């Protein structure tokens, strides 16, 4: 994740001043601590805490350097090279992480403070996942159906500093070596039957084509034409000349070689099966993936059964919303109506992007009723790059930007956008990432740790939260939200069906089409992603269900004194944590609130 330094905005200071001046007229709002002004961590209380802190600080710094990042102006950024991905490098990393886990086992948890116990749990889960991937040699299949090692290397927006451009050129010069190591790994994986299924690879070679061009259609060359004029001459001209040289002499030949390998080797030799169970020792591998993404021990059967039950429950609610819309036909006819009626589709990419921006701004006006702490860091809204759009998801959020897919507009229904915006942008992923970045008194590794169960669970929870924020203005919007909820519940059934119970690709496509109003293009794209990324799809709904269950528990225990703002702050202020940690911390929050009630009520 690219992390930029949050800047203090005058508007934020003005808003805070106004809230103080008006007093009770506005809910109390706090602003997250800007990076660089955070409080210092308290000194370790004992030898166990000192050992733990030394361990996670040392591993974090080692990990950054190992993966080609360097500390610049107090934050870790991409260096002028790519990391080594050779089998030897991964074996070295596996050995190192095994040693780290052994050292962590030697630290007595009973001697750790509450905060350090959280640090230890986050650290252990992270390192276990890293070690697991290295041992299973997942680097031999270093991409999936929509996320590739050859894409995303170009910045989403032009760099503003000369030094950033020079490091970028250094990385471009290193692409031939980096791609060569990836190709060796993929060839080894193919030889032992460890590959992305062919059905999830077909057509992905087209995403490489733009980078083989030698004209302005090459995204790298186009980026060097966007160097900002704020960089003075002669540096600006030098950067453009050096960048073009790196692209034409190193990048284009490397991508051309990769394209040849993908078409002549990978597509020909990739496995024709779809399930993780068909990989070497695949069922054991799949169980580790569920553990990694959900951050708790669950069997495929448990996940599958929860999915079936939730699909049934959501379907009943969808029927109610369909009736509220006034539609008089059957459920399949309603889905067909939603997929085909022109009123539900943007006519231009700008119309779709403008609508997403309006939704995001509308949500901004509700945040004071939802959370108590707001981040300073801002995100922007961008279209998915053209070279990725045909096989990319509808949207994806992050710290710097939210991407929305404007390719094939008849497959991008507007009634899905309210739920998509709150999930990906605010108060979902972009909002969540900014709070994690700006959180005070937290070790560096905690600021950039991400667990899918927590992060995607929060994203899906914010879709439901939109019902309390007035985001869904029509029954169609609400059906879009339920389609997204059904989509995630169906994932539990589909993911385990594919990877444990022998489902075919078409069986998964048919199941998702029968239960959601997703466009056919999105359904196929999503199923291919589940095939290529075992276990990841299970994180969303199980994380969401954890948060919904915790909210119900808080409402039940606290009664009329329940306030969703501190409840949400408790979740967000933790940063990304394993689900068992989330449960214990929210329950501690509930207990503390109840104790406070008892103290106030006492005579």
């Amino acid at each position: 994740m690219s992390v930029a330094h949050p800047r203090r905005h005058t508007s934020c200071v003005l808003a805070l001043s106004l809230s103080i001046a008006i007093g009770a007229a506005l809910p109390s709002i706090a602003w997250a601590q800007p990076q660089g002004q955070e409080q210092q961590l308290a000194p370790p209380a004992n030898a166990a805490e000192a050992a733990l802190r030394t361990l996670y600080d040392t591993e974090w710094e080692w990990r950054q350097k190992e993966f080609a990042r360097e500390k610049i102006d107090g934050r870790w950024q991409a260096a002028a090279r790519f990391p080594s991905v050779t089998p030897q490098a991964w074996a070295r990393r596996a050995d190192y992480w095994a040693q780290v886990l052994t050292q962590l086992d030697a630290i007595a948890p009973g001697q750790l403070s509450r905060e350090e116990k959280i640090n230890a749990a986050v650290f252990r889960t992270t390192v276990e996942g890293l070690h697991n991937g290295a041992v299973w040699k997942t680097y031999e299949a270093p991409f999936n159906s929509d996320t590739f090692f050859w894409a995303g290397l170009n910045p989403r927006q032009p760099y503003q500093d000369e030094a950033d451009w020079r490091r970028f050129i250094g990385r471009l010069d290193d692409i031939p070596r980096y791609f060569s190591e990836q190709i060796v790994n993929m060839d080894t994986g193919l030889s032992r039957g460890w590959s992305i299924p062919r059905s999830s690879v077909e057509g992905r070679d087209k995403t490489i084509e733009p980078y083989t061009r030698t004209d302005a259609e090459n995204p790298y060359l186009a980026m060097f034409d966007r160097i900002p004029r704020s960089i003075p001459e002669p540096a600006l001209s030098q950067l453009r000349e050096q960048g073009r040289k790196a692209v034409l002499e190193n990048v284009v030949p490397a991508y051309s070689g990769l394209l040849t390998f993908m078409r002549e080797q990978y597509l020909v030799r990739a496995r024709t099966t779809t399930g993780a169970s068909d990989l070497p020792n695949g069922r054991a591998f799949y169980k580790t993936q569920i553990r990694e993404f959900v951050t708790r021990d669950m069997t495929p059967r448990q996940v599958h059964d929860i999915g079936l039950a939730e699909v049934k429950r959501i379907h009943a609610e969808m029927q109610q919303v369909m009736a509220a819309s006034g539609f008089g036909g059957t459920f399949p006819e309603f889905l067909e109506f939603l997929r085909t009626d022109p009123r539900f589709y943007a006519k231009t990419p700008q119309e779709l992007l403008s609508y997403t921006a309006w939704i995001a701004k509308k949500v901004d006006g509700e945040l004071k009723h939802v959370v108590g702490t707001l981040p300073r860091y801002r995100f922007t809204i961008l279209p998915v790059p053209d070279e990725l759009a045909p096989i990319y998801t509808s949207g994806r959020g992050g710290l710097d930007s939210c991407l929305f897919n404007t390719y094939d507009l008849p497959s991008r229904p507007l009634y899905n956008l309210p739920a998509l915006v709150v999930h990906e942008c605010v108060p979902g992923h972009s909002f969540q990432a900014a709070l994690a970045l700006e959180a005070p008194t937290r070790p560096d590794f905690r600021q950039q740790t991400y667990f899918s169960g927590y992060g995607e669970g929060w994203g899906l929870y914010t879709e439901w939260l939109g019902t309390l924020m007035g985001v869904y203005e029509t029954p169609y919007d609400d059906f879009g939200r339920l389609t997204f909820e059904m989509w995630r519940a169906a994932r539990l059934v589909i993911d385990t069906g594919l990877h444990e119970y022998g489902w075919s690709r078409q069986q998964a496509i048919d199941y998702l089409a029968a239960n959601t109003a997703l466009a056919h293009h999105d359904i196929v794209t999503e199923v291919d992603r589940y095939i290529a990324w075992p276990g990841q799809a299970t994180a969303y709904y199980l994380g969401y269900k954890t948060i919904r269950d915790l909210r119900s528990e808080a409402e039940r225990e606290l009664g009329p004194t329940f306030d969703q703002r501190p409840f949400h702050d408790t979740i967000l202020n933790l940063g990304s944590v394993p689900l068992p940690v989330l449960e214990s911390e929210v329950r501690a929050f509930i207990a503390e609130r109840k104790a406070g009630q008892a103290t106030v009520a006492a005579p």
Side-chain angles (χ1 to χ4, degrees), residues 191-258:
S191 297
R192 73 180 182 98
W194 191 279
S195 76
I196 302 299
R198 187 177 301 172
S199 61
S200 294
V201 177
E202 290 175 339
R204 274 58 178 178
D205 53 309
K206 291 185 178 300
T207 66
I208 303 172
E209 288 179 351
Y211 302 102
T212 67
R213 298 181 64 109
T214 57
D215 56 19
E217 296 301 311
N218 186 307
Y220 289 118
L221 292 175
M223 182 56 66
F224 280 102
D225 288 336
R226 297 174 62 194
I227 299 177
R229 296 289 178 181
S230 57
I231 295 178
E233 295 286 5
L236 189 151
S237 295
Q238 291 172 351
L239 289 171
R240 185 167 292 145
E241 180 182 351
Q242 291 167 6
R244 291 184 60 84
K245 183 174 185 290
V247 173
L248 295 174
E249 295 184 4
N250 291 317
V251 174
V252 168
Y255 274 91
S256 297
L258 176 64

Side-chain angles (χ1 to χ4, degrees), residues 323-336:
S325 75
F327 187 83
T330 65
F331 188 77
E333 289 171 341
F334 187 58
L335 296 185
E336 183 64 17

Side-chain angles (χ1 to χ4, degrees), residues 432 436 439 442 446 449 454 570-577 582:
Q432 180 186 47
R442 183 170 294 159
R446 289 277 305 279
T449 294
Y454 171 94
T570 298
I571 294 171
L572 291 167
N573 288 345
L574 279 171
S576 196
V577 294
L582 176 64

Side-chain angles (χ1 to χ4, degrees), residues 148-368:
F148 318 108
F149 67 83
W150 59 83
L153 307 183
N154 221 10
R156 290 184 177 180
Q157 296 177 295
Y159 296 113
Q160 299 299 308
D161 298 322
E162 179 182 348
D164 288 331
W165 283 103
R166 296 203 178 279
R167 282 190 292 273
F168 177 49
I169 293 169
R171 292 194 294 278
L172 296 183
D173 284 331
D174 196 33
I175 279 181
R177 188 272 312 166
Y178 181 61
F179 280 16
S180 177
E181 292 178 3
Q182 298 280 20
I183 288 171
V184 170
N185 290 340
M186 289 189 288
D187 185 68
T188 301
L190 288 167
S191 297
R192 73 180 182 98
W194 191 279
S195 76
I196 302 299
R198 187 177 301 172
S199 61
S200 294
V201 177
E202 290 175 339
R204 274 58 178 178
D205 53 309
K206 291 185 178 300
T207 66
I208 303 172
E209 288 179 351
Y211 302 102
T212 67
R213 298 181 64 109
T214 57
D215 56 19
E217 296 301 311
N218 186 307
Y220 289 118
L221 292 175
M223 182 56 66
F224 280 102
D225 288 336
R226 297 174 62 194
I227 299 177
R229 296 289 178 181
S230 57
I231 295 178
E233 295 286 5
L236 189 151
S237 295
Q238 291 172 351
L239 289 171
R240 185 167 292 145
E241 180 182 351
Q242 291 167 6
R244 291 184 60 84
K245 183 174 185 290
V247 173
L248 295 174
E249 295 184 4
N250 291 317
V251 174
V252 168
Y255 274 91
S256 297
L258 176 64
L259 183 59
T260 298
F261 173 81
M262 293 301 293
R263 286 178 172 167
E264 297 182 1
Q265 294 293 323
Y266 212 97
L267 282 167
V268 175
R269 298 164 58 195
R271 64 190 176 99
T272 56
T273 57
T274 55
S277 57
D278 297 305
L279 292 168
N281 202 15
R283 278 194 162 80
F285 170 69
Y286 182 53
K287 289 178 182 177
T288 69
Q289 296 308 284
I290 292 176
R291 173 73 176 85
E292 180 175 332
F293 287 113
V294 180
T295 62
R296 64 166 89 245
D297 289 318
M298 296 185 72
T299 66
R301 171 51 63 187
Q302 288 174 312
V303 174
H304 194 80
D305 288 348
I306 290 173
L308 290 172
E310 292 300 297
V311 164
K312 183 178 180 180
R313 179 190 63 79
I314 298 166
H315 185 75
E317 192 172 344
M318 294 174 90
Q319 294 275 7
Q320 294 173 358
V321 175
M322 182 184 76
S325 75
F327 187 83
T330 65
F331 188 77
E333 289 171 341
F334 187 58
L335 296 185
E336 183 64 17
F337 162 67
L338 292 174
R339 288 178 179 137
T340 57
D341 194 295
R343 82 181 79 171
F344 299 125
Y345 296 87
K347 295 178 178 59
T348 66
Q350 186 58 51
E351 182 184 349
L352 186 147
L353 293 172
S354 296
Y355 187 44
T356 63
W358 180 82
I359 295 166
K361 200 60 194 170
K362 178 183 175 183
V363 173
D364 273 351
E366 296 296 317
L367 288 178
K368 59 183 174 290

